[in-house]
C-alpha cells in the first residue's frame, strides 16, 4: 500500500490545490501533524476529513504497509523535509516497506520567493528597532553601497557572488517600498510591469522591430511621448544629476545625441580640467567606450600595482 504525501506551497492561497492532490486526498485516511495547517478549513468544506496526529515517522510507515495513507505535509519546508527523511528511513527498515509517493498540491510560480522577502521585511519593520526607525533618507547610503557591490562583482566576473549581491540590492528595493506610506511593493512591481509592456510594443503589441537599433528607436519615441504627457519637454528631463560625473556626462551626451543635438554644443564646455574631462568622455562615447568603466579599470590596475609594490 502507498503512503501518499501531499505538499503545498505557503506562497499559494490555501484551497487552490491540483486535481491530482484532490484525488489523493480522497484515496484514504488523511493525517497531518499541524492543527494550524491553512488547508484544513478548505478540506473540511470540501468534505475531506483530516486527523491531526503527533508526527510519528515509524508509526506512519508501518500503517502505510496495510492501507493507503495520505499525509498532508507541514507548510514549513524544513519541517516537511526532516519529517519525510525520517519516514523514509523508517520505511526502509521494514521488511516490506510501503511505496511512498509525493503529490504536489500547489506549485510556486517564478518569483514566488519574493513573497517571502516581503513577509520578512514586514516583520522586521514591525519588530526590529533598527529597521523600524529607518527612512528613505537614512537608507540611501545602503542603496548606493549595495549597487556598487553588484557592479564590483560584475566587473570581477564573480558571478557566484553576484546572486548574493543582487539579493542585498533587492532588499533595499523592498525596504524602501515598505517604508513608503503611499505605495507598497505591489505598486512598485505593477509600475515597472506596465512600463515594460508599454515600451516593448514589438513584444506585447503589433509593432515590428527586427533589430536592436529599431528597439532603441521605438524606446526613445515612447519615452518622448511619456515626457510630453507629463509636461516635460527636454530630452534631458529625468537624467539623475547626482550620479558619478563621468557617467552623468556620458548619459547627457547620449540623450542629446539621440535627440539630434548638434555636436558643437559639446565643444568647449567648462574650463580647465573640467573641459578636458568632458571632452574625454565625449571622445570615449564616440569610440564606443564607457568612460566610467575605462577609468574604473585603470583604477583597479593602479590598485594592483600598489599592492605589488607593498609586497615587494
Amino acid at each position: 500500500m502507498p503512503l501518499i504525501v501531499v505538499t503545498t506551497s505557503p506562497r499559494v492561497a490555501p484551497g487552490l490545490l491540483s486535481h491530482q492532490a484532490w484525488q489523493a486526498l480522497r484515496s484514504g485516511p488523511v493525517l497531518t501533524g499541524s492543527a494550524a495547517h491553512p488547508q484544513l478549513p478548505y478540506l473540511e468544506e470540501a468534505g475531506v476529513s483530516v486527523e491531526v496526529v503527533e508526527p510519528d515517522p515509524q508509526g506512519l510507515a508501518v500503517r502505510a504497509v496495510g492501507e493507503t495513507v495520505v499525509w498532508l505535509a507541514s507548510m514549513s519546508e524544513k519541517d516537511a523535509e526532516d519529517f519525510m527523511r525520517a519516514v523514509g528511513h523508517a520505511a526502509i527498515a521494514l521488511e516490506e516497506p510501503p511505496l511512498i509517493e509525493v503529490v504536489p498540491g500547489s506549485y510556486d510560480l517564478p518569483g514566488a520567493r519574493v513573497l517571502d522577502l516581503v513577509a520578512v521585511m514586514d516583520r522586521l519593520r514591525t519588530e526590529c528597532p533598527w529597521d523600524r526607525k529607518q527612512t528613505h533618507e537614512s537608507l540611501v547610503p545602503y542603496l548606493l553601497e549595495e549597487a556598487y557591490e553588484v557592479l564590483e562583482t560584475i566587473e570581477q566576473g564573480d558571478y557566484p557572488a553576484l546572486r548574493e549581491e543582487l539579493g542585498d540590492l533587492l532588499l533595499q528595493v523592498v525596504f524602501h517600498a515598505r517604508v513608503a506610506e503611499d505605495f507598497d511593493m505591489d505598486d512598485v512591481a505593477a509600475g515597472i510591469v506596465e512600463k515594460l509592456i508599454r515600451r516593448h510594443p514589438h513584444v506585447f503589441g503589433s509593432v515590428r522591430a527586427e533589430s536592436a537599433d529599431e528597439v532603441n528607436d521605438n524606446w526613445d519615441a515612447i519615452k518622448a511621448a511619456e515626457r510630453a504627457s507629463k509636461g516635460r519637454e527636454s530630452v534631458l528631463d529625468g537624467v539623475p544629476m547626482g550620479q558619478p560625473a563621468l557617467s552623468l556626462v556620458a548619459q547627457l551626451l547620449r540623450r542629446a545625441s539621440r535627440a539630434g543635438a548638434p555636436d558643437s554644443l559639446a565643444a568647449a564646455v567648462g574650463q580647465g580640467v573640467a573641459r578636458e574631462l568632458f571632452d574625454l568622455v565625449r571622445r570615449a562615447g564616440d569610440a564606443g567606450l564607457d568612460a566610467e568603466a575605462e577609468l574604473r579599470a585603470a583604477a583597479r590596475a593602479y590598485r594592483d600595482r600598489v599592492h605589488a609594490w607593498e609586497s615587494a
Side-chain angles (χ1 to χ4, degrees):
M1 294 293 178
L3 168 61
I4 303 176
V5 180
V6 176
T7 62
T8 56
S9 168
R11 305 168 197 92
V12 176
L16 299 179
L17 300 175
S18 65
H19 176 67
Q20 186 182 15
W22 282 114
Q23 286 184 313
L25 289 165
R26 292 188 169 95
S27 64
V30 182
L31 311 177
T32 188
S34 172
H37 199 296
Q39 297 289 350
L40 295 186
Y42 299 89
L43 296 182
E44 181 181 2
E45 183 180 352
V48 177
S49 177
V50 181
E51 181 183 0
V52 180
V53 300
E54 186 69 25
D56 178 8
Q58 184 174 5
L60 186 61
V62 170
R63 182 172 177 177
V65 173
E67 63 176 330
T68 297
V69 180
V70 181
W71 179 259
L72 181 61
S74 166
M75 298 290 282
S76 167
E77 295 177 3
K78 184 180 186 307
D79 291 345
E81 290 177 2
D82 292 345
F83 180 74
M84 291 316 304
R85 189 176 296 110
V87 171
H89 289 317
I92 292 174
L94 297 175
E95 185 175 342
E96 296 184 8
L99 174 67
I100 300 178
E101 178 184 359
V102 178
V103 175
S106 55
Y107 302 82
D108 283 342
L109 294 175
R113 296 308 296 265
V114 176
L115 298 176
D116 289 345
L117 177 57
V118 172
V120 168
M121 187 67 252
D122 187 63
R123 184 169 179 180
L124 291 176
R125 183 68 173 171
T126 303
E127 301 179 19
C128 174
W130 187 89
D131 290 276
R132 191 165 53 239
K133 69 179 288 188
Q134 299 310 308
T135 65
H136 291 302
E137 292 74 18
S138 69
L139 290 172
V140 167
Y142 304 103
L143 176 63
L144 294 175
E145 179 182 347
E146 300 301 349
Y148 279 121
E149 288 184 0
V150 168
L151 174 60
E152 185 173 9
T153 58
I154 294 175
E155 289 179 340
Q156 294 175 344
D158 190 359
Y159 297 121
L162 179 59
R163 182 182 69 172
E164 178 180 353
E165 298 302 340
L166 286 173
D168 292 341
L169 183 58
L170 178 59
L171 169 60
Q172 297 304 310
V173 175
V174 175
F175 207 152
H176 277 278
R178 181 61 179 80
V179 169
E181 297 181 357
D182 55 347
F183 63 86
D184 58 20
M185 191 61 195
D186 285 329
D187 296 319
V188 172
I192 190 61
V193 167
E194 292 169 2
K195 180 183 292 185
L196 289 173
I197 292 175
R198 186 172 63 251
R199 293 187 180 179
H200 290 79
H202 56 288
V203 175
F204 302 101
S206 58
V207 174
R208 294 183 62 84
E210 303 296 338
S211 68
D213 288 339
E214 288 181 306
V215 172
N216 284 332
D217 291 341
N218 288 338
W219 183 281
D220 289 339
I222 294 169
K223 287 185 67 175
E226 291 174 354
R227 284 194 300 272
S229 67
K230 295 177 181 178
R232 298 176 178 176
E233 299 181 358
S234 173
V235 69
L236 302 183
D237 286 343
V239 174
M241 300 299 290
Q243 63 182 300
L246 293 182
S247 58
L248 170 61
V249 171
Q251 186 175 6
L252 291 172
L253 288 169
R254 190 163 54 247
R255 287 273 196 99
S257 176
R258 289 177 181 174
D263 293 339
S264 59
L265 294 179
V269 173
Q271 297 179 350
V273 173
R275 176 181 297 184
E276 295 177 23
L277 289 172
F278 195 98
D279 188 57
L280 284 173
V281 174
R282 181 185 59 77
R283 287 162 51 192
D286 291 343
L289 300 174
D290 182 333
E292 181 78 20
E294 293 296 313
L295 186 56
R296 289 176 61 83
R300 290 196 301 276
Y302 178 70
R303 176 202 59 191
D304 294 340
R305 287 188 176 188
V306 172
H307 286 168
W309 169 76
E310 291 174 329
S311 301

